[in-house]
Amino acid sequence: MSKRLVALDLLRGLAVAGMILVVSPGSWSMVYAPLKHADWHGWTPGDLVFPTFLTCVGMAIGLMVPRLTPADRTGPALWLKVARRTALLILLGLVLNALPTLDLATLRIPGILQRIALCYALATTICVWIAGRGEGGRLDFNLPAAGLASAALLAIYWALIAFVPVPGFGVGRLDAEGSLPAYVDRVVFTVPHLWNQGVTYDPEGLLSTLPASVNVLLGAIAARLATEGRKGWVLALGVGLIVAGLALDPVMPINKRIWTPSFALLSSGIATVVFVGLEMAVRAQRGGYLLIVLGGNAILAFILSQLLGVFGGLPILPGTEATPQGFVYALMLKAIVDPYLASLACAVLVLGLITAILIPLHRRGIHLRL
């Protein structure tokens, strides 16, 4: 395994670890601010977890494209594989959303895995079809075209949310009720099928898949630059994206909930810079085994965290209010006086449990691949 691949696994593992810490507190009312999501405009470190994972998805695509041939591009095998992976991710996401009640009337249709599936399918299609013919009969990843495709998707999304009127609200609204992405979610999915009852939008909504796919495309670009030995360009790309995202903030506020173009650029840039830092750690032969374990089985780690979150919030005994999550938090409070630190300790415990489950699987080369 190349050092570059190790750095990618480290980045993926870091994203998974961050996700577990964000979604597994002992008490949702006792969470440190950096682990929360921004209420609307603005951003926190917790907001960067999911886009970092999408960047990793893109890096994997950037590594995959040069292994393909022109025949793969026009043949059915590749596209059947893409369709199968997309469908399985969507199906798995719906199953997890259905737990624990299996109530189809309020089943959340969008979701994290659903977004990964759609972004993966769109970005893969773009990267494969814009690729040129390289040496040895393989496809050649087209860096300029991928950059143009990223800019085009952001421009299209920006134009849609800035100029398409929303019935009853007008144009250019960026709030939870009047923004175009929120309106599309309500029309396509209806409110009972969004992420939380009573809300008017979904943070993994349909229209915002366009800018989220840019995170994937930019990850693919970073991977190609890295494998071509242009590490300085990778760092320059990351810094440039951060600057661009911050510069756009006054015009198009950074917002994860509707994934504004400024958020797509900023989050991609930060993930890319962190990737460069991990590259340096790999060259210095620093540790990172546990992150590699998490990164190598990211989907399974996500599933386990979701299952623990769902069933940890259910009553221990029917008719009672005591839950496993509350019980563990109460135990932590006996050892740790600070309720915020005790809540974080519960999340660390969940992270340790999931990692302990994955270590023997990793040692045996067992990884869940969809």
Side-chain angles (χ1 to χ4, degrees):
M1 181 180 290
S2 72
K3 290 182 177 180
R4 204 217 63 78
L5 286 177
V6 172
L8 173 54
D9 265 342
L10 287 172
L11 182 63
R12 188 186 294 115
L14 187 62
V16 172
M19 177 270 297
I20 295 173
L21 292 177
V22 167
V23 303
S24 308
S27 170
W28 286 105
S29 61
M30 298 292 173
V31 178
Y32 287 115
L35 296 177
K36 294 181 179 180
H37 293 297
D39 290 335
W40 195 248
H41 292 328
W43 63 282
T44 70
D47 288 327
L48 301 176
V49 171
F50 186 27
T52 296
F53 190 83
L54 289 178
T55 299
C56 294
V57 171
M59 289 183 173
I61 294 172
L63 296 175
M64 177 268 296
V65 170
R67 295 198 294 264
L68 300 175
T69 66
D72 293 325
R73 176 163 53 190
T74 56
L78 170 65
W79 302 111
L80 287 174
K81 181 179 179 180
V82 171
R84 171 185 171 275
R85 180 173 293 173
T86 301
L88 285 176
L89 284 170
I90 292 174
L91 178 61
L92 181 56
L94 290 173
V95 170
L96 291 175
N97 285 355
L99 298 175
T101 61
L102 301 177
D103 185 1
L104 296 181
T106 58
L107 170 67
R108 182 192 178 195
I109 297 176
I112 290 176
L113 292 182
Q114 294 90 313
R115 165 150 290 179
I116 293 173
L118 295 178
C119 291
Y120 158 77
L122 179 57
T124 298
T125 301
I126 292 173
C127 289
V128 170
W129 280 108
I130 65 176
R133 290 177 178 266
E135 299 178 356
R138 302 288 178 178
L139 293 180
D140 182 33
F141 190 91
N142 193 327
L143 285 168
L148 288 174
S150 300
L153 287 177
L154 291 182
I156 291 170
Y157 184 62
W158 188 333
L160 288 173
I161 60 179
F163 300 114
V164 174
V166 175
F169 295 96
V171 299
R173 293 278 294 266
L174 294 176
D175 55 278
E177 293 80 23
S179 65
L180 182 64
Y183 175 74
V184 170
D185 291 341
R186 295 196 298 271
V187 171
V188 175
F189 303 119
T190 71
V191 171
H193 297 289
L194 302 182
W195 75 285
N196 198 5
Q197 295 302 305
V199 301
T200 55
Y201 72 99
D202 195 289
E204 279 77 49
L206 186 61
L207 189 59
S208 55
T209 299
L210 293 177
S213 297
V214 173
N215 290 74
V216 182
L217 288 172
L218 293 173
I221 291 172
R224 291 317 309 159
L225 290 173
T227 54
E228 292 172 5
R230 293 189 272 179
K231 302 297 194 305
W233 284 96
V234 180
L235 179 59
L237 172 66
V239 173
L241 291 172
I242 293 173
V243 172
L246 294 175
L248 282 177
D249 185 38
V251 180
M252 180 66 65
I254 295 168
N255 186 313
K256 178 185 180 295
R257 305 286 185 170
I258 54 175
W259 216 285
T260 52
S262 54
F263 176 75
L265 294 171
L266 174 70
S267 57
S268 296
I270 293 176
T272 302
V273 170
V274 172
F275 171 75
V276 173
L278 293 173
E279 280 271 5
M280 296 172 62
V282 169
R283 288 199 294 271
Q285 297 183 344
R286 299 293 174 84
Y289 175 74
L290 296 182
L291 291 181
I292 292 175
V293 169
L294 290 168
N297 238 326
I299 295 297
L300 182 54
F302 176 81
I303 293 172
L304 290 173
S305 72
Q306 293 298 298
L307 292 177
L308 288 173
V310 168
F311 293 104
L314 296 179
I316 297 175
L317 295 174
T320 67
E321 295 183 358
T323 65
Q325 180 186 20
F327 176 74
V328 174
Y329 180 54
L331 289 179
M332 286 295 180
L333 282 173
K334 293 181 179 180
I336 303 173
V337 177
D338 185 342
Y340 286 90
L341 187 58
S343 181
L344 176 60
C346 292
V348 174
L349 181 64
V350 172
L351 175 59
L353 174 60
I354 292 175
T355 305
I357 293 173
L358 297 181
I359 286 176
L361 299 178
H362 181 78
R363 288 176 175 171
R364 291 172 174 80
I366 300 175
H367 302 95
L368 179 61
R369 301 280 190 256
L370 296 181

